[in-house]
Amino acid sequence: MGTEVLYVVDRVKEKKAVLINDKGNVAYAELSKLPPGIEEGAVLKVRVDKLGRHYWKSASLDEEERARRIKHAEEVLRELQKRDPGGNLVL
């Protein structure tokens, strides 16, 4: 049957989205095959079969995961700001 893999939309170019999973693998998908509302930073759950085929049409947006990742990034940035002697890291 396969598994679900999380992809983040890195950028949208012309009629395609460039997506990156947590292992750093890059995939490309036509916007017409993705759920509506796709934009940079969106997190998608995508079914991938044992042969590595992606089922983009059945992908779904994962807003909770996106919010979790943004919160984590903000926390990391705050920690880095505490250690920044020049005070030039900004949120």
Side-chain angles (χ1 to χ4, degrees), residues 1 6 9 22 29 32 36 43 47 49 51 54 56 61 83 85:
M1 176 89 182
L6 292 175
V9 178
D22 290 340
S32 62
V43 176
R47 191 167 60 87
D49 69 15
L51 298 175
H54 295 79
W56 299 114
L61 289 170
R83 295 185 272 167

Side-chain angles (χ1 to χ4, degrees), residues 2-8 20-23 25 43-49 54 56 59-60 69:
T3 59
E4 278 192 338
V5 178
L6 292 175
Y7 277 90
V8 175
I20 301 175
N21 69 15
D22 290 340
K23 293 182 180 180
N25 298 324
V43 176
L44 290 173
K45 281 185 189 175
V46 182
R47 191 167 60 87
V48 180
D49 69 15
H54 295 79
W56 299 114
S60 61
R69 289 173 184 232

Side-chain angles (χ1 to χ4, degrees), residues 11-18 29-32 40:
R11 62 191 176 277
V12 176
K13 291 179 85 172
E14 298 169 15
K15 295 181 180 183
K16 290 191 177 188
V18 180
E30 291 182 31
L31 290 177
S32 62
E40 292 177 3

Side-chain angles (χ1 to χ4, degrees), residues 72-88:
H72 176 72
E74 289 170 343
E75 290 169 359
V76 168
L77 189 54
R78 273 193 286 282
E79 285 301 313
L80 289 171
Q81 284 176 323
K82 289 178 187 176
R83 295 185 272 167
D84 179 24
N88 56 1

